[in-house]
Amino acid sequence: MAKAKIQFVCNACGGVAPKWNGQCPECGAWNSLHETALAVASRQGGYAGVQSSVQRLAEVSAQESPRVSSGTEELDRVLGGGLIAGAVILLGGDPGIGKSTLLLQNAINVSARLKTLYVTGEESPQQVSLRAQRLHTGTNEVNILAETRCEAILEIAQSEKPKVMVIDSIQTVYSAQLQSAPGSVAQVRECTAQLVRFAKASDTTVFLVGHVTKEGTLAGPRVLEHMVDTVLYFEGDSGSRFRIVRAIKNRFGAINELGVFAMTEHGLREVTNPSAIFLSRHERPVSGSVIMVTREGTRPMLVELQALVDESPLAQPRRVTVGLEQNRLAMLLAVLHRHGGVQMYNQDVYANVVGGVRVSETGADLPLVLAVLSSFRDRPLPPDWVVFGEIGLAGEIRPVQNGEERLREAAKHGFKRAIVPMANAPRRAIEGLEVVAVARLQEALEQWR
């Protein structure tokens, strides 16, 4: 196979140079030239690919592709129901979070039904074998390959014909067509493109392990996330044994789905009731703690919001959030002052979501305000209350999606009273749960006085 020609393209102006320079000769930008492999043309003068034909959209079959279970219900939930032939899935996460453990468990579970190839570029086969023995997952029919050259991986995959293939990790794989080092922008982009083409042509489900930067984003070019079908983030606190798999992009299912796992000495174990791990068990009611029902994808989930309000010695008080949006806290404090008559211009306000989960929906507005007010007045809310609702700048309480489903989840966990927006009041009474519907912030505050 002839070696492909390479060129260097400027990210700023798109100029092309035959070799790398520190400065672009076209626009003068510094350190903007990146290595790129030229596409191979056929003898007929066109691109060396399969000729496509024009079809009417109404005549295209809309039948969904069959799914195969990965053997893990939580992972199937995040993927949208299971594995799809030809899908390329990118899994990112911090070092040591358990990415390799999760995919090895998945590969072992699937290997009993589908031929599986595990390509390791960071560890030796002996290290992977020792991890597999610790998992105690039973039948292990996984084929393992220690290789980092992309062309060699694809040649072996074409001869082995696996239905599921794991690449651990994409940053260690390199293409011989490029001169740059493994893990560079050009190498990650080119190797991913070759693996995507192989997956689509052979109907192989490909898992890619991706590294993350210190900011928490996937390392490599941003185009990497556009090339794959599904992007998963593996999250978790280093001091906690719980792990969360979150779907950021999914062409075959819903995004923002959550899968919850617990790290044990025998690998990752599914958590079927995640609400239980996000609720603290206080011996007595404490101020600044409110339970809310959030919704991640198709799953309602109970989480605990905590707030701490303390007199500030600074000229500009601090507003600190963990798991919540900081700017929204500042806005809600302004609404509380304007429509609730509570001033906190000289108070430091800290807000936290218990368990390390992130809440991005607006349904956390009302419980956050009540938690702040509870800490400010040092008056705990009853432990059997649950709250959710969005707060507008005019002081109105706006509804959130799937309100009745959230209420049923709260009733299932033994909560007795719920403060919700007026539009989320259920049409039929929910057994064991008293629902208080409010339309204004002042009405919600009066329920607690």
Side-chain angles (χ1 to χ4, degrees):
M1 179 178 178
K3 189 173 181 179
K5 295 182 179 180
I6 61 174
Q7 64 183 6
F8 294 85
V9 180
C10 176
N11 287 340
C13 68
V16 178
K19 62 180 181 179
W20 186 87
N21 292 309
Q23 186 179 25
C24 174
E26 300 288 341
C27 65
W30 288 95
N31 199 26
S32 61
L33 295 178
H34 293 280
E35 187 179 20
T36 306
L38 292 174
V40 180
S42 64
R43 294 182 179 179
Q44 289 78 14
Y47 182 77
V50 179
Q51 183 69 29
S52 301
S53 60
V54 178
Q55 294 177 285
R56 288 184 180 273
L57 182 59
E59 298 175 356
V60 178
S61 174
Q63 184 178 2
E64 294 187 2
S65 302
R67 294 180 182 268
V68 178
S69 174
S70 64
T72 306
E73 292 184 4
E74 290 295 303
L75 185 59
D76 287 343
R77 173 192 293 271
V78 178
L79 294 175
L83 306 179
I84 290 183
V88 182
I89 303 164
L90 177 62
L91 176 65
D94 295 331
I97 200 70
K99 302 184 296 296
S100 300
T101 301
L102 175 64
L103 292 185
L104 182 58
Q105 281 187 220
N106 176 61
I108 294 175
N109 293 333
V110 174
S111 64
R113 291 166 285 129
L114 301 174
K115 190 172 185 179
T116 306
L117 177 63
Y118 190 98
V119 181
T120 173
E122 297 183 345
E123 300 176 310
S124 65
Q126 291 77 15
Q127 290 175 302
V128 179
S129 177
L130 288 174
R131 180 185 291 115
Q133 293 178 11
R134 293 197 302 266
L135 298 179
H136 298 294
T137 53
T139 305
N140 186 353
E141 301 293 336
V142 178
N143 298 321
I144 189 169
L145 170 66
E147 181 61 63
T148 56
R149 188 166 65 89
C150 186
E151 289 78 10
I153 294 173
L154 294 178
E155 288 178 5
I156 295 175
Q158 288 173 356
S159 61
E160 292 289 329
K161 293 182 172 56
K163 291 299 181 182
V164 178
M165 185 166 66
V166 178
I167 307 295
D168 187 9
S169 65
I170 189 61
Q171 272 77 17
T172 61
V173 179
Y174 72 95
S175 173
Q177 299 177 2
L178 303 178
Q179 300 175 354
S180 53
S184 63
V185 171
Q187 288 285 5
V188 171
R189 181 175 57 228
E190 178 63 24
C191 294
T192 303
Q194 293 187 33
L195 290 169
V196 169
R197 287 194 294 267
F198 168 77
K200 302 304 180 184
S202 61
D203 285 338
T204 303
T205 303
V206 178
F207 285 90
L208 304 178
V209 177
H211 296 171
V212 296
T213 63
K214 60 182 180 180
E215 290 82 13
T217 59
L218 283 165
R222 193 67 179 181
V223 71
L224 178 63
E225 299 183 34
H226 295 279
M227 296 167 64
V228 300
D229 299 309
T230 304
V231 179
L232 307 179
Y233 274 82
F234 206 19
E235 306 169 352
D237 189 359
S238 58
S240 173
R241 67 189 185 99
F242 296 107
R243 304 287 188 267
I244 297 174
V245 179
R246 184 189 303 270
I248 303 299
K249 171 190 174 182
N250 193 354
R251 290 174 178 163
F252 306 110
I255 62 172
N256 290 327
E257 283 283 4
L258 282 185
V260 184
F261 299 85
M263 180 64 77
T264 66
E265 60 181 0
H266 299 305
L268 290 165
R269 179 177 56 84
E270 298 178 79
V271 178
T272 57
N273 184 18
S275 297
I277 69 175
F278 298 128
L279 299 179
S280 299
R281 294 292 182 258
H282 302 291
E283 296 181 358
R284 56 186 178 84
V286 296
S287 60
S289 176
V290 176
I291 307 300
M292 71 161 291
V293 188
T294 184
R295 184 177 173 85
E296 295 288 348
T298 59
R299 164 185 281 170
M301 189 166 55
L302 277 76
V303 297
E304 180 182 359
L305 297 185
Q306 291 183 343
L308 175 63
V309 180
D310 192 19
E311 186 175 354
S312 177
L314 305 174
Q316 185 175 359
R318 301 190 64 187
R319 306 287 187 253
V320 180
T321 61
V322 178
L324 296 164
E325 187 179 354
Q326 186 171 354
N327 292 334
R328 196 158 189 88
L329 173 61
M331 183 192 73
L332 292 175
L333 293 178
V335 175
L336 181 61
H337 178 204
R338 181 69 172 81
H339 299 282
V342 181
Q343 301 179 358
M344 294 189 183
Y345 58 86
N346 60 345
Q347 304 289 323
D348 288 334
V349 181
Y350 304 88
N352 175 46
V353 183
V354 174
V357 68
R358 293 202 315 268
V359 178
S360 57
E361 68 158 340
T362 55
D365 290 354
L366 185 55
L368 179 56
V369 167
L370 293 182
V372 169
L373 196 57
S374 171
S375 178
F376 180 65
R377 294 176 174 173
D378 198 16
R379 288 178 51 195
L381 272 78
D384 57 352
W385 281 24
V386 66
V387 186
F388 61 84
E390 179 185 352
I391 299 179
L393 292 180
E396 76 277 13
I397 307 299
R398 297 178 175 271
V400 297
Q401 294 181 351
N402 304 98
E404 188 169 349
E405 186 177 353
R406 300 180 192 226
L407 293 174
R408 296 190 183 279
E409 181 73 11
K412 186 173 66 175
H413 286 80
F415 289 89
K416 302 301 182 183
R417 196 179 194 193
I419 300 179
V420 302
M422 184 70 70
N424 285 131
R427 298 179 180 178
R428 297 181 181 180
I430 298 178
E431 184 178 358
L433 183 65
E434 177 190 358
V435 179
V436 179
V438 295
R440 305 283 303 174
L441 176 61
Q442 193 65 33
E443 297 177 21
L445 300 182
E446 290 175 356
Q447 297 296 326
W448 182 38
R449 290 178 179 174

